[in-house]
């Protein structure tokens, strides 16, 4: 069976585009082939800085022939007095058949004309010749460019094309104005190690032919080589290299023939905070730092300088024979960068961290919202609200207040100005140099956490308070300006901020009334920016809805809660239930996890049968959704069957359990009570003593609906069972 090779040769591509293009082809090439009635046994996608390639094996020689039935006009319109009408003749011409090939068949809408068409499959070469240009032109990425004087856009100029079906060149042509690239079997080897053209004899020879020309086209091979060589080099100096995932992925797509090279720097630079040295190495130079192999390194350690070795590994894409020259050049570069860091650290450390505060007046947070100093003041006020609500001890409140005051001070330090990625990290270092309390120093670093999904969360009380205050200020202020995120556009990272608030509350087991907090912060915002602020009610509602969306996303995507159970704890289009959720996000998480456990162990199925039917019928009554006590709502004198008395008895037992669950937020006793009530509810609906809820007597009907409404309400303390889907 034929194999097809496509290689698109280019000028050096950005690493991010190589990764994205490989993912795109892997995602939609199987679908494109299937749509063209082509099958394949294997699709392998490759990429390097100078090429994208796909090798498709096990293709058929041609498309299969297809039988297709086409529906035509109604028979009454196709024939008149037994003769074909212009409509019939036109349909036959369009389908390439004769009128005599028509079949008339009855359908639900009457008799229609049908025709059977046989479409002959096209040869593989013809199909691919039509398809392949779109595979190239449909790739998406940032900052595409045109080359020559044409309109064809790609990440970088395309310089050659290889297109082979087995050993035959598939004629393809890409034209951009006066520039034309035609396919052949000539590829290019490594720019330094094999600058000559590489002839690909057969499609299946591609990987081996390029490897012989010092190009590893498979990213997985390059990554394995980088990891093995880096580990070996680090071991020679008694160390262990750290390969951050994102940096490793980038380096893989920056090389075609990777060679690990050991570099070194002066030991005096180990006196710098390790975070400075590693930031220079990883973010600015794409080097891998080396740590002592025997050290049990803690990434969150206050000071890891004793673990860092004055060595690093860099991945060269040049001639391995020139490794010593490359190492010397890398050392000169990093020496200069580390010397800069040394100067910045020494200069910044000469003054206490507090002295930087006045300079924050000159740093703009947002044009309409003023300076970062103003934001710091708001963070302090919000942190005070948090402490009030959580009942934080006075000694801890002082630490929170001090950390809030200093949390942004390092933004105007020389080090952070040069290396913005170190914000918070350097604040912690300078706080310690300034002899601030440990809790304050740690909180300055922690308040930036989490920086994204799955990131570490602040672990100290002080860090959590400042982190929450910072994010809540951003959310209220930016929403207050009407700059809400839309679609994929979220320039102020408000979704990430709200996710951070919820995850911090969950991780810290903090019971916070988020609704009251938002209301208080919104009032402060309106007082501080009266000319900018719109309706306070609108702002609060927008933030409530936004946090509701974030709760839904986090519960489903990160906590793995079934969608209907998420609806059950947030309320299915129930504003009051959503309000309850925002008022205590930790309670929402606990209830959702409990429901998921109940589903897994089978108890939810029994609860569903007990409560859901009652919930649906209760909506026909007029009882509110908050009342739990049956006293005065159910009259025993109106009972006609023993099942009604048993139902009331069950409700009477459940009522204190529901009330206790509301107060303590411990729901297992309520679950047990609902399960115990199940037989009574079942007898009420079915069996020898069952009743007709919608009795003709309005008083009896209301009495029975109140029974159902009370059960619904008591169960709603745990969840809105009407939102749960049976069998999920």
């Amino acid at each position: 069976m034929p194999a097809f090779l496509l290689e698109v040769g280019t000028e050096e591509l950005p690493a991010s585009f190589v990764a994205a293009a490989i993912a795109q082809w892997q995602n939609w090439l199987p679908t494109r082939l299937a749509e063209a009635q082509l099958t394949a046994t294997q699709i392998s996608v490759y990429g390097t800085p100078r090429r994208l390639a796909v090798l498709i094996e096990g293709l058929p020689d041609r498309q299969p022939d297809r039988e297709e039935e086409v529906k035509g006009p109604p028979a009454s319109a196709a024939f008149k007095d037994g003769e074909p009408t212009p409509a019939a003749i036109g349909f036959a011409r369009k389908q390439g058949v004769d009128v005599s090939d028509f079949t008339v068949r009855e359908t639900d809408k009457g008799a229609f004309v049908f025709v059977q068409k046989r479409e002959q499959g096209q040869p593989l070469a013809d199909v691919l010749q039509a398809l392949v240009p779109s595979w190239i032109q449909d790739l998406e990425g940032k900052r595409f460019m045109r080359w020559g004087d044409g309109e064809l856009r790609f990440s970088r100029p395309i310089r050659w094309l290889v297109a082979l079906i087995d050993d035959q060149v598939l004629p393809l042509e890409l034209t951009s104005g006066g520039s034309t690239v035609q396919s052949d079997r000539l590829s290019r080897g490594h720019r330094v190690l094999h600058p000559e053209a590489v002839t690909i004899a057969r499609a299946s020879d591609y990987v081996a032919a390029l490897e012989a020309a010092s190009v590893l086209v498979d990213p997985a091979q390059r990554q394995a080589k980088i990891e093995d060589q880096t580990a070996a080099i680090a071991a020679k100096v008694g160390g262990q290299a750290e390969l951050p995932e994102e940096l490793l992925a980038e380096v893989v797509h920056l090389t075609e023939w990777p060679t690990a090279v050991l570099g070194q720097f002066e030991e005096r630079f180990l006196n710098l905070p390790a975070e400075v040295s590693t930031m220079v190495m990883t973010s600015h130079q794409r080097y891998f730092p080396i740590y002592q192999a025997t050290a049990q390194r803690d990434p969150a350690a206050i000071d890891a300088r004793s673990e860092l070795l004055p060595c690093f590994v860099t991945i060269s894409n040049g001639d391995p024979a020139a490794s010593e020259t490359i190492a010397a050049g890398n050392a000169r570069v990093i020496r200069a960068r580390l010397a800069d860091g040394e100067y910045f650290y020494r200069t910044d450390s000469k003054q206490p961290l507090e002295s930087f505060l006045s300079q924050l007046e000159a740093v703009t947070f947002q044009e309409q919202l003023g300076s970062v100093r103003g934001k710091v003041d708001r963070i302090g006020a919000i942190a005070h609200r948090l402490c009030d609500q959580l009942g934080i001890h006075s000694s801890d409140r002082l630490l929170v207040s001090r950390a809030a005051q200093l949390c942004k001070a390092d933004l105007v330090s020389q080090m952070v100005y040069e290396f913005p990625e170190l914000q918070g990290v350097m604040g912690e270092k300078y706080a310690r140099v300034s002899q601030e309390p440990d809790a304050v120093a740690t909180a300055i670093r922690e308040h930036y956490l989490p920086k994204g999904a799955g990131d570490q969360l602040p672990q100290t009380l002080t860090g959590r308070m400042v982190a929450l205050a910072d994010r809540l200020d951003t959310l209220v202020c930016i929403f207050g300006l009407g700059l809400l995120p839309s679609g994929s556009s979220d320039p102020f990272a408000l979704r990430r901020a709200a996710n951070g608030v919820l995850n911090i509350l969950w991780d810290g087991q903090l019971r916070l009334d988020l609704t009251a907090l938002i209301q208080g912060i919104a009032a402060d915002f309106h007082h501080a920016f009266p000319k900018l602020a719109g309706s306070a009610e609108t702002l609060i509602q927008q933030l409530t809805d936004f946090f509701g969306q974030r709760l839904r996303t986090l519960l489903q995507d990160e906590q793995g809660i079934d969608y209907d159970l998420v609806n059950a704890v947030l309320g299915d289009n129930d504003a009051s239930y959503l309000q309850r959720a925002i008022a205590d996000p930790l309670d929402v998480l606990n209830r959702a996890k409990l429901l998921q456990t109940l589903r897994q162990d089978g108890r939810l199925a029994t609860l569903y049968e007990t409560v859901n039917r009652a919930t649906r019928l209760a909506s026909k009554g007029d009882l509110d959704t908050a009342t739990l006590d049956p006293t005065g709502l159910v009259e025993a004198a109106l009972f006609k069957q023993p099942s009604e008395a048993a139902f009331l008895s069950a409700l009477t037992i459940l009522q204190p359990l529901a009330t206790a669950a509301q107060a303590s937020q411990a729901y297992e006793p309520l679950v047990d009570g609902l399960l115990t009530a199940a037989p009574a509810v079942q007898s009420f609906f079915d069996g020898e003593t069952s009743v007709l809820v919608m009795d003709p007597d309005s008083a009896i009907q209301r009495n029975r609906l109140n029974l159902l409404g009370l059960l619904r309400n008591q169960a709603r303390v745990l969840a809105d069972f009407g939102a749960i889907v049976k069998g999920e």
Side-chain angles (χ1 to χ4, degrees), residues 530-544:
K531 295 182 179 179
L532 301 178
S535 163
E537 292 75 15
T538 300
L539 172 57
I540 293 167
Q541 187 60 54
Q542 288 174 335
L543 284 165
T544 299

Side-chain angles (χ1 to χ4, degrees), residues 46-74:
Y46 305 114
T48 80
R50 297 182 69 202
R51 72 202 74 227
L52 297 170
V54 58
L55 177 62
I56 306 174
E57 300 172 276
L59 286 164
D61 292 316
R62 61 187 306 116
Q63 292 173 315
D65 295 339
R66 288 191 301 163
E67 292 281 349
E68 182 181 10
E69 183 179 67
V70 182
K71 183 180 179 182

Side-chain angles (χ1 to χ4, degrees), residues 253-580:
H253 293 302
L254 288 172
T255 57
E256 293 196 316
W257 192 259
T259 302
V261 178
L262 177 67
Q264 295 180 311
F265 56 87
E266 290 86 343
E267 288 195 13
R268 68 183 175 90
F269 291 122
L270 292 179
N271 293 320
L272 276 171
E275 293 86 349
V276 175
S277 303
T278 56
M279 181 63 67
V280 169
M281 285 187 258
T282 58
S283 294
H284 293 262
Q285 303 306 131
R286 301 189 182 93
Y287 301 164
F288 298 123
I290 300 178
Y291 294 86
Q292 294 179 19
T294 56
Q296 297 296 316
R297 192 166 59 82
D298 177 7
I302 292 172
D303 189 354
R305 73 185 69 190
S306 61
E307 302 173 11
L308 187 67
L309 295 178
C311 308
F312 59 89
V313 177
T314 184
I315 304 301
S316 167
N317 193 40
D319 187 350
S323 292
E324 289 187 11
T325 303
I326 293 169
N330 291 335
R332 283 195 299 271
V333 172
I334 199 170
R335 184 181 300 116
R337 298 293 285 169
L338 291 175
D340 288 343
E342 184 180 51
Y343 171 76
F344 297 144
Y345 183 63
R346 185 170 60 247
T347 303
D348 290 338
S349 298
K350 289 179 179 178
Q351 54 187 318
L353 182 60
E354 186 177 18
S355 67
F356 290 115
L357 287 176
S358 61
Q359 299 177 48
L360 292 177
E361 294 282 2
V363 181
T364 301
F365 166 56
Q366 197 276 342
E367 183 179 3
Q368 295 174 278
L369 297 172
S371 70
V372 173
R373 179 56 196 268
K375 179 176 177 60
V376 166
D377 291 340
R378 295 194 300 274
I379 290 173
I382 296 170
H384 184 75
R385 287 183 177 276
L386 287 164
C387 291
D388 281 347
Q389 197 179 120
L390 294 170
I392 303 300
H393 190 272
S394 58
S395 59
D396 289 325
R397 292 171 72 108
L398 291 174
L399 295 172
V400 171
S401 177
R402 184 62 172 171
Q405 183 184 26
L406 298 176
C407 67
K408 304 295 183 183
D410 66 336
L411 293 181
V412 291
S413 67
Q414 293 192 53
M415 183 74 82
V416 174
Y417 182 83
E418 182 69 17
F419 304 117
E421 305 93 332
L422 291 173
Q423 61 183 2
V425 173
M426 297 314 303
E428 178 190 28
K429 302 299 180 185
Y430 295 146
R432 295 188 186 283
V433 171
S434 302
Q435 298 184 336
E436 295 287 344
D438 285 349
V440 171
T442 301
I444 293 172
R445 172 177 54 82
E446 284 191 329
H447 94 280
Y448 283 103
L449 303 175
K451 296 179 180 179
D455 191 23
Q456 181 185 2
L457 293 161
Q459 294 301 300
T460 66
L461 174 64
T462 309
R464 286 169 177 150
M465 293 301 99
V466 181
L468 288 169
D470 185 16
R471 286 162 175 79
L472 288 167
D473 172 70
T474 297
L475 285 161
V476 172
C477 288
I478 301 301
F479 265 77
L481 297 180
L483 303 177
L484 282 63
S486 59
S488 60
S489 175
D490 188 8
F492 294 96
L494 300 179
R495 294 186 182 94
R496 187 171 66 193
N499 289 351
V501 168
L502 296 172
N503 277 316
I504 291 168
L505 293 178
W506 289 347
D507 184 68
Q509 294 290 295
L510 300 175
R511 296 203 175 281
L512 191 72
D513 187 342
L514 198 53
T515 300
L517 194 61
I518 290 171
Q519 291 171 346
I521 300 171
D524 290 345
F525 172 78
H526 279 71
H527 178 74
F529 302 100
K531 295 182 179 179
L532 301 178
S535 163
E537 292 75 15
T538 300
L539 172 57
I540 293 167
Q541 187 60 54
Q542 288 174 335
L543 284 165
T544 299
D545 293 341
F546 188 68
F547 270 106
Q549 295 166 7
R550 295 297 90 208
L551 277 170
R552 189 176 303 278
T553 298
L554 291 180
L555 289 171
Q556 287 185 218
D557 296 348
E558 294 189 12
Q559 298 294 328
I561 308 298
D562 295 339
Y563 79 94
D564 61 320
L565 302 185
V566 174
N567 289 338
V569 295
L570 296 183
D572 193 3
N573 296 318
D574 186 331
S576 64
Y577 217 69
L578 176 62
Q579 195 69 42
R580 172 190 171 187

